[in-house]
Amino acid sequence: MSPSLNAASLAPFTAKLASRCELDVDDQAALAALPVIEQRIDAGEFLVRQGAIGEHCILVVKGFVQRHKIVANGGRQIVAILMEGDLLGFEALAGLGADCHAQSLTAARILKAPTAALAAVLRQRPAVGQAMWTESLTSASVFQEWLANIGRRDARTRMAHLLCELSLRQRLFDKHAQASFDLPLTQEQLGDVLGLTSVHVNRTLKGLSREDLIRYERGRMTILQWEKLAAAGEFDDVYLNVPKTLDRAGRGAVPA
Amino acid sequence: MSPSLNAASLAPFTAKLASRCELDVDDQAALAALPVIEQRIDAGEFLVRQGAIGEHCILVVKGFVQRHKIVANGGRQIVAILMEGDLLGFEALAGLGADCHAQSLTAARILKAPTAALAAVLRQRPAVGQAMWTESLTSASVFQEWLANIGRRDARTRMAHLLCELSLRQRLFDKHAQASFDLPLTQEQLGDVLGLTSVHVNRTLKGLSREDLIRYERGRMTILQWEKLAAAGEFDDVYLNVPKTLDRAGRGAVPA
DNA sequence: CGGGACCTTGACGCTCATCAATTGCAGTGG
DNA sequence: CCACTGCAATTGATGAGCGTCAAGGTCCCG
């Protein structure tokens, strides 16, 4: 919990905010001074319960987290997948209860920052507030894209779209990532994202494999033909608001 | 465009913000001083094109507006329905391009406020910024509920849920509204909200009518049995973040 | 009175859900 | 080293829910 430790763990988060909005030294210092608590999480742990008013906001440092809702017949809908640098608990900053459950998909490292302290930084450092506002709107933009995906596209298209999104988002924080990336979701969880059953997810993935668009084995996904997969998924990354400062070249590069 | 006129037209918007967060006289004055342009809109007009960076934010004063996306096969997904007091163009405040098209559903009255001026008010009046932040998060919360609705519920449940939401939202700004309310969407548009076809919407509405849960004729929807419809739609209004200061009593009242 | 939205209804078929059985694989303990 | 267990992936058979196509019907407006 020394400042230097904070700074190190906060790095993915700070980097993300800085890519949204120029942060000066004071902005970064204010973030580094947050009294955060680092924590290790096992796969499948609940981080937030729906309705709870979070005293802490949660930053994902390493690993994958999902947010989901449960419907009456027991069905589950995953409404967001969070990765390195993503923030959980925007609502808490406005004093609202959590609108979803949050649960880790993998073992993960997180930082818990007191909501009040983070809110204070947002007030006192307008650049940070601006970056967070942009971040929050981007996440809303993803919700809307997912609505169109689930509401109006068939299983093959939905899946291709999701794979493109996840691949691109991983490359945003991991510059070394190849066409091959970790996909730590079971097929049932993929179904919960896409509004499908695990059985149909399996068939859809097999279909994309047979077309040689992807290869998929034991949690590792390889995109064999980015251009074709993106076309199959009608994928256009504008909705992710990828900052122009980030290198998007090599997006089509493939060598496994 | 005199101040008093502004204040009158701004009233639905100001009221909504004030219900989210206490606004003092100066806050309200700052809003009233916005150099807004009032405008009348016909049904079906485009207000925003996807990708455009809005120089104006748009406040809906009267009427209905939808935001939607178009997918490759020509399908349309409506991702939001805006009513009196709702704001269009949060993204513009962060300098982002519009993530959706926006189009009026009915004839409407709107106010256009220069993005920069509104952004300045948000900065200078923290209470206003806070209220707007809450407003934006609430809209994100609705997206997530819609995701669960479309992804994991069948047609009957989806429809019942949507009708409950629209009914409740109308009663939030129209205290005199009865169980009967305006539903100015064609069945095709309802389908575009729910991820269904107009044919299936028709059959679903007929089904709910046959069950005596609703009555529906020519753009006018009457909820005959609120409790049963809410149960059928698994409707729980927490995701709308209805301010506790608003009277929610009489929600079950029915007399047509 | 004609035209154009929109609503309504039937027949048919495809996508995807459901049910059920089998396989493969990783961990665990004997 | 090998049963034993448990979860995830895989595959087939079947059918329901919803889409598609097509043909009126109704209402409104000029």
Side-chain angles (χ1 to χ4, degrees), chain B:
Chain B
M1 262 176 262
S2 74
S4 67
L5 264 183
N6 278 358
S9 292
L10 273 166
F13 180 62
T14 313
K16 191 158 201 200
L17 291 184
S19 77
R20 298 265 176 232
C21 190
E22 195 74 30
L23 299 186
D24 64 27
V25 188
D26 290 339
D27 295 327
Q28 308 217 14
L31 286 171
L34 279 171
V36 297
I37 302 168
E38 183 153 2
Q39 208 167 306
R40 277 166 200 283
I41 301 291
D42 289 332
E45 273 189 53
F46 269 88
L47 305 185
V48 178
R49 294 278 176 180
Q50 187 166 358
I53 299 186
E55 295 181 13
H56 296 277
C57 290
I58 296 178
L59 306 173
V60 180
V61 178
K62 199 79 196 171
F64 283 68
V65 172
Q66 46 99 337
R67 310 193 328 114
H68 71 271
K69 293 193 173 227
I70 302 287
V71 303
N73 60 13
R76 179 191 320 270
Q77 176 69 44
I78 294 178
V79 300
I81 295 176
L82 309 187
M83 331 196 305
E84 198 170 315
D86 287 332
L87 176 75
L88 194 63
F90 287 110
E91 335 83 42
L93 290 168
L96 300 172
D99 43 14
C100 286
H101 301 291
Q103 201 175 1
S104 56
L105 285 163
T106 63
R109 280 196 300 138
I110 63 171
L111 289 183
K112 294 169 91 163
T115 305
L118 185 51
V121 172
L122 297 192
R123 271 195 308 274
Q124 286 151 22
R125 310 299 319 171
V128 179
Q130 181 75 22
M132 193 80 92
W133 172 254
T134 306
E135 193 56 28
S136 154
L137 289 171
T138 299
S139 111
S141 175
V142 174
F143 294 147
Q144 294 172 72
E145 185 67 25
W146 283 25
L147 270 173
N149 208 27
I150 293 179
R152 285 305 185 199
R153 300 206 255 244
D154 65 16
R156 188 184 102 110
T157 314
R158 278 185 230 185
M159 177 65 76
H161 190 281
L162 177 66
L163 294 178
C164 288
E165 174 181 323
L166 293 179
S167 166
L168 177 54
R169 285 175 58 196
Q170 291 216 14
R171 269 173 290 136
L172 290 184
F173 66 80
D174 179 4
K175 300 300 185 298
H176 303 299
Q178 301 294 316
S180 188
F181 65 97
D182 281 328
L183 184 65
L185 302 184
T186 66
Q187 294 184 0
E188 183 169 2
Q189 288 164 337
L190 283 171
D192 290 340
V193 173
L194 297 172
L196 299 169
T197 58
S198 61
V199 173
H200 206 70
V201 165
N202 185 282
R203 297 194 162 115
T204 306
L205 286 174
K206 289 285 168 189
L208 292 174
S209 296
R210 220 172 303 114
E211 296 180 64
D212 287 327
L213 298 181
I214 62 168
R215 197 179 328 138
Y216 177 53
E217 41 204 4
R218 266 171 298 156
R220 190 113 196 123
M221 174 69 59
T222 305
I223 297 183
L224 298 176
Q225 306 190 57
W226 173 273
E227 292 300 342
K228 284 194 184 174
L229 188 68
E234 302 172 17
F235 184 73
D236 177 346
D237 65 17
V238 285
Y239 73 96
L240 290 172
N241 293 138
V242 179
K244 294 187 193 61
T245 55
L246 288 179
D247 179 20
R248 295 201 284 176
R251 202 161 64 197
V254 171

Side-chain angles (χ1 to χ4, degrees), chain A residues 10-237:
Chain A
L10 274 166
F13 181 61
T14 314
K16 190 159 202 199
L17 290 184
S19 76
R20 297 264 176 236
C21 189
E22 195 73 29
L23 299 186
D24 65 26
V25 188
D26 290 340
D27 295 326
Q28 308 217 13
L31 286 169
L34 278 170
V36 297
I37 301 167
E38 183 152 4
Q39 208 165 307
R40 276 165 200 285
I41 302 291
D42 289 331
E45 273 189 53
F46 271 86
L47 304 185
V48 178
R49 294 279 175 178
Q50 188 166 356
I53 298 185
E55 295 181 12
H56 296 276
C57 289
I58 296 179
L59 306 172
V60 181
V61 178
K62 201 76 196 173
F64 283 68
V65 172
Q66 47 98 338
R67 307 190 333 111
H68 71 270
K69 293 191 171 228
I70 302 286
V71 303
N73 60 12
R76 179 190 318 271
Q77 177 68 45
I78 294 179
V79 301
I81 295 177
L82 309 187
M83 332 196 302
E84 199 171 314
D86 287 333
L87 177 74
L88 195 63
F90 287 110
E91 336 81 42
L93 289 167
L96 300 172
D99 42 15
C100 285
H101 300 292
Q103 201 175 3
S104 57
L105 284 162
T106 63
R109 280 197 300 137
I110 62 171
L111 289 183
K112 294 169 91 164
T115 306
L118 186 52
V121 171
L122 297 192
R123 271 195 308 274
Q124 286 150 23
R125 313 297 321 170
V128 178
Q130 182 76 20
M132 193 80 93
W133 172 253
T134 306
E135 194 57 28
S136 155
L137 289 171
T138 298
S139 112
S141 174
V142 174
F143 294 147
Q144 293 172 72
E145 186 66 26
W146 283 25
L147 271 172
N149 207 29
I150 294 178
R152 284 305 187 199
R153 300 206 255 243
D154 64 16
R156 189 184 100 110
T157 314
R158 276 185 231 185
M159 178 64 77
H161 190 281
L162 177 66
L163 294 178
C164 288
E165 175 180 323
L166 293 179
S167 166
L168 176 54
R169 283 175 58 195
Q170 291 218 13
R171 269 174 290 136
L172 290 184
F173 67 79
D174 179 3
K175 301 301 185 299
H176 303 299
Q178 300 295 314
S180 189
F181 64 98
D182 281 328
L183 184 66
L185 303 185
T186 66
Q187 296 183 359
E188 184 168 1
Q189 289 165 335
L190 283 172
D192 289 340
V193 173
L194 297 172
L196 300 169
T197 58
S198 62
V199 173
H200 206 70
V201 164
N202 185 283
R203 297 192 162 116
T204 306
L205 285 174
K206 289 286 168 188
L208 292 174
S209 297
R210 222 173 301 111
E211 295 179 66
D212 288 325
L213 297 182
I214 62 169
R215 198 179 328 137
Y216 177 54
E217 42 205 2
R218 267 171 296 155
R220 188 112 197 123
M221 174 68 61
T222 306
I223 296 182
L224 298 175
Q225 306 190 58
W226 174 271
E227 293 300 344
K228 285 194 185 172
L229 188 67
E234 304 172 16
F235 183 74
D236 176 345
D237 64 18

